[in-house]
Amino acid sequence: MRVHTQMAILLLAAIMPGSGAAVAHDATAHHGAPAACDTTALACASVATGAFGPDGKLWVTWIAGGRVSVGSSADLGKTFADQVTLPKTDLPLDEGPDARPKIAIGQAGRVVVTYASRDEKYNGHAFIVRSSDDGKTFSDPQPITSDSPSQRFETAELDQDGRAFVAWIDKRNVAKAKKDGKDYAGAALAFAWDDRPGGTLQAATIARDNSCECCRIGVAFAGPGRPVVLFRNIFDGGIRDHAVITFADPKTPGPLYRVSDDDAKIDACPHQGPSLAIGPDGVYHATWFALGRKLKGLYYAHSNDGGKTFSEPMRLGDPNAQTSRPYVLATHGVVYLAYKSFDGAMTTIDLITSHDSGKTWSTPRSIAMTHDASDHPLLIASPAGAYLSWLTLQDGYRLIPLEPQS
Amino acid sequence: MRLAVILLALFIAAMPIAGSAASAQAAPQAALPFEAESLKQILDAHKGRPLIVHFWGLTCSNCMAELTGWGAFTRAHPDATLVLVNWDQRGARPAEIGPALQKAGLGSVSSFALGSGFEERLRFAVGPDWMGELPYTRLIAGDGSVKAFSGPADFEQLGSWLAKQSQ
């Protein structure tokens, strides 16, 4: 017990960096964590998700002090204004390794935030909140669905007309199967649309049964009313390989296509979901973590035919440096791909870029590093450029421009 | 700090080996914090003998599904040395580890839980190629050679591995 106490003290010391409470500003917009970090401030966040609005304003949603907050910055993350802390959830927030609150910004001051809490059985309960006044006020949180024992990894995107499309991993059919005494592998991919821009979510539809239950999903748009979802599917024989579904129209999920033959026959939770981007040229860019008998590690592939077929998977990073958490962004004629590596002492974010829709790639360039715990690297686009959005324990929230590129 | 490390090493060495019926009745023990040097200390404490280190999570349904299997394995192999390491990250519930292990018949098995928040560093110290997937198991032979696998265990195979070690 004595050892336990000492360790607890060491642990406390480890999570209390020496930097003061004052917010530090420099070229890459650091926000130092204060000494006792239990408030809802961004400086105390454990995860943070950034997104740009059409006017170039940066929005960030984060978890700190057991609450979800939202703030915006007109100066690329140097200062944040109008922090809104959302109502406390009845249950603790979902802080699983691949879970995070998410934010989407539309026209006319529309902001949508989604997040989930988790009960004692680790079932997720996901909520959506909305603002129609540029984030000054938010609606009361609404569950994203009813009649479902668990929703996790909810992801909201706004379509061109301002309607929210929300996709998530749902366990209603797991519960049904259990009640009927049947086996059911994994969970299901579910989705719902707003009835009108800024309205409410309609009833959920199950797009696909038997998806992996413990990984984030990737969502992008192939065109108006045509979302595309990339997720870890469970194929026949319990193979947990990635698949993509492109909606034919808002109500109709199209056929499922396999992204790669990783041959992941493993009943393990990788806690590492994929990332998807679609460029203005319609090319799909997919990146994922493979835990298969054929492929193991991080991979990238692109599709020129709307997700039917993908290019030969390209290996990323070094398998002995924990290369993980890949994220892809296609914007301004460039495809950006970032991932995290750890060499035993330092975590590095490496970036590669492609100027020919994913056919050829630059050599990796390190764009950020830290010597302590950090969130997943995310890539986000403003109307003017592309950025790394990254939260680290040492430096707080960072927004790092990806230009200049060689 | 040095004293803490020595105490910890002594504590590990003195820990009962899996599965005695008497201690299964005792109150659930608290998991020790698993830090960067923990695996080395565990290995040193069991040097020259086969050792199974199993990483699991309350948040990992596949782990929870096979936990009773590990309980049965320790009962079938009372001489086997098993160390359990809970690898739940943010939102972990350490208070639930002991009761969950006791329920699975693993109440007396040496138990650790992920220590300080820098998960990458702790994971790297276990195995640089371990991507954090759970369940994950490392088999350390008496000669120090290591085999690792992800996903649920094949307990029959595990039994054969163990039998081979004592030959």
Side-chain angles (χ1 to χ4, degrees):
Chain A
M1 272 303 94
R2 167 126 188 242
V3 174
H4 216 141
T5 312
Q6 288 191 6
M7 285 297 177
I9 292 164
L10 284 174
L11 177 60
L12 268 176
I15 59 174
M16 297 193 300
S19 60
V23 172
H25 296 148
D26 66 14
T28 53
H30 296 197
H31 292 265
C37 232
D38 54 3
T39 74
T40 59
L42 177 56
C44 292
S46 54
V47 288
T49 308
F52 280 100
D55 57 356
K57 187 152 71 168
L58 171 71
W59 290 83
V60 178
T61 180
W62 66 90
I63 291 179
R67 304 278 287 271
V68 176
S69 296
V70 185
S72 62
S73 171
D75 53 10
L76 297 176
K78 288 184 185 69
T79 58
F80 279 85
D82 301 331
Q83 176 181 335
V84 174
T85 296
L86 301 177
K88 191 168 170 57
T89 46
D90 292 340
L91 297 161
L93 291 167
D94 183 355
E95 293 197 87
D98 229 7
R100 63 176 56 254
K102 297 185 192 75
I103 186 162
I105 321 298
Q107 301 289 342
R110 281 192 211 290
V111 182
V112 166
V113 177
T114 59
Y115 57 94
S117 59
R118 267 203 301 192
D119 63 25
E120 71 286 350
K121 290 190 169 147
Y122 297 101
N123 287 314
H125 302 276
F127 297 91
I128 185 166
V129 298
R130 305 156 186 278
S131 172
S132 54
D133 58 6
D134 207 26
K136 283 180 194 69
T137 59
F138 282 87
S139 67
D140 286 338
Q142 297 292 321
I144 58 169
T145 186
S146 54
D147 307 325
S148 164
S150 178
Q151 318 95 45
R152 292 192 71 201
F153 308 112
E154 68 297 333
T155 303
E157 295 286 345
L158 291 171
D159 202 352
Q160 272 182 6
D161 66 359
R163 289 199 305 154
F165 168 82
V166 186
W168 67 91
I169 301 298
D170 189 286
K171 285 200 168 169
R172 74 189 67 201
N173 287 354
V174 182
K176 219 180 280 169
K178 202 173 172 188
K179 215 172 128 197
D180 298 343
K182 289 180 186 150
D183 286 340
Y184 185 101
L189 175 70
F191 71 92
W193 284 94
D194 273 353
D195 55 354
R196 59 186 167 78
T200 54
L201 284 176
Q202 295 171 305
T205 305
I206 299 295
R208 179 84 187 183
D209 277 306
N210 306 122
S211 67
C212 180
E213 63 275 39
C214 47
C215 298
R216 76 181 181 196
I217 58 177
V219 178
F221 277 95
R226 297 189 61 226
V228 181
V229 184
L230 172 65
F231 61 104
R232 197 183 287 274
N233 188 50
I234 304 181
F235 288 95
D236 287 348
I239 310 290
R240 292 183 185 233
D241 284 359
H242 283 83
V244 70
I245 287 178
T246 302
F247 280 63
D249 59 61
K251 283 190 159 52
T252 318
L256 175 135
Y257 295 110
R258 196 178 198 128
V259 173
S260 161
D261 179 18
D262 304 344
D263 198 20
K265 184 175 171 48
I266 187 165
D267 285 329
C269 294
H271 296 303
Q272 291 204 44
S275 168
L276 171 73
I278 300 175
D281 54 4
V283 177
Y284 290 20
H285 304 277
T287 181
W288 69 97
F289 166 61
L291 195 59
R293 291 180 290 203
K294 291 181 187 162
L295 298 185
K296 200 175 173 196
L298 287 203
Y299 288 87
Y300 161 85
H302 62 271
S303 171
N304 296 321
D305 56 7
K308 285 190 193 69
T309 61
F310 279 82
S311 60
E312 190 66 27
M314 176 177 88
R315 180 70 180 263
L316 304 169
D318 174 359
N320 283 316
Q322 289 183 357
T323 306
S324 64
R325 313 294 177 194
Y327 206 90
V328 65
L329 174 73
T331 188
H332 305 105
V334 184
V335 190
Y336 300 93
L337 203 168
Y339 49 85
K340 197 173 176 177
S341 298
F342 181 69
D343 66 1
M346 182 170 74
T347 296
T348 306
I349 305 300
D350 284 336
L351 177 77
I352 57 173
T353 52
S354 171
H355 292 265
D356 55 10
S357 297
K359 284 188 207 67
T360 61
W361 289 84
S362 69
T363 52
R365 180 170 73 95
S366 297
I367 54 169
M369 52 87 152
T370 189
H371 289 87
D372 208 326
S374 60
D375 193 6
H376 305 351
L378 307 175
L379 300 179
I380 57 175
S382 79
Y387 297 84
L388 167 70
S389 166
W390 194 35
L391 181 77
T392 67
L393 186 64
Q394 284 183 327
D395 299 310
Y397 184 75
R398 304 172 73 180
L399 186 75
I400 297 169
L402 302 183
E403 304 294 345
Q405 288 301 312
S406 53
Chain B
M1 178 65 203
R2 167 152 264 168
L3 180 67
V5 168
I6 293 165
L7 278 172
L8 187 61
L10 283 173
F11 194 60
I12 295 160
M15 268 195 163
I17 289 164
S20 95
S23 52
Q25 307 299 320
Q29 53 173 324
L32 293 168
F34 188 91
E35 302 295 349
E37 65 279 8
S38 296
L39 186 63
K40 197 185 168 298
Q41 289 165 3
I42 294 166
L43 294 177
D44 287 350
H46 297 285
K47 217 170 192 165
R49 287 171 290 155
L51 171 69
I52 303 166
V53 186
H54 178 62
F55 297 82
W56 67 288
L58 291 158
T59 57
C60 155
S61 53
N62 293 306
C63 303
M64 297 309 287
E66 70 155 359
L67 216 49
T68 50
W70 282 101
F73 180 79
T74 58
R75 281 192 299 281
H77 302 275
D79 298 337
T81 307
L82 174 67
V83 172
L84 296 166
V85 187
N86 178 282
W87 210 259
D88 288 319
Q89 298 179 42
R90 292 184 318 237
R93 299 173 194 169
E96 293 177 17
I97 294 171
L101 293 182
Q102 193 166 47
K103 203 176 147 199
L106 294 162
S108 58
V109 173
S110 167
S111 166
F112 288 79
L114 185 61
S116 65
F118 196 4
E119 190 266 345
E120 284 99 331
R121 192 167 72 94
L122 299 179
R123 181 153 49 86
F124 195 89
V126 173
D129 61 346
W130 177 32
M131 299 302 283
E133 69 277 5
L134 296 172
Y136 173 76
T137 307
R138 290 178 79 85
L139 307 177
I140 299 104
D143 64 4
S145 63
V146 180
K147 275 205 288 194
F149 64 88
S150 306
D154 178 334
F155 290 109
E156 212 167 293
Q157 243 177 49
L158 212 55
S160 321
W161 175 81
L162 207 56
K164 227 172 92 187
Q165 299 308 307
S166 51
Q167 276 168 15

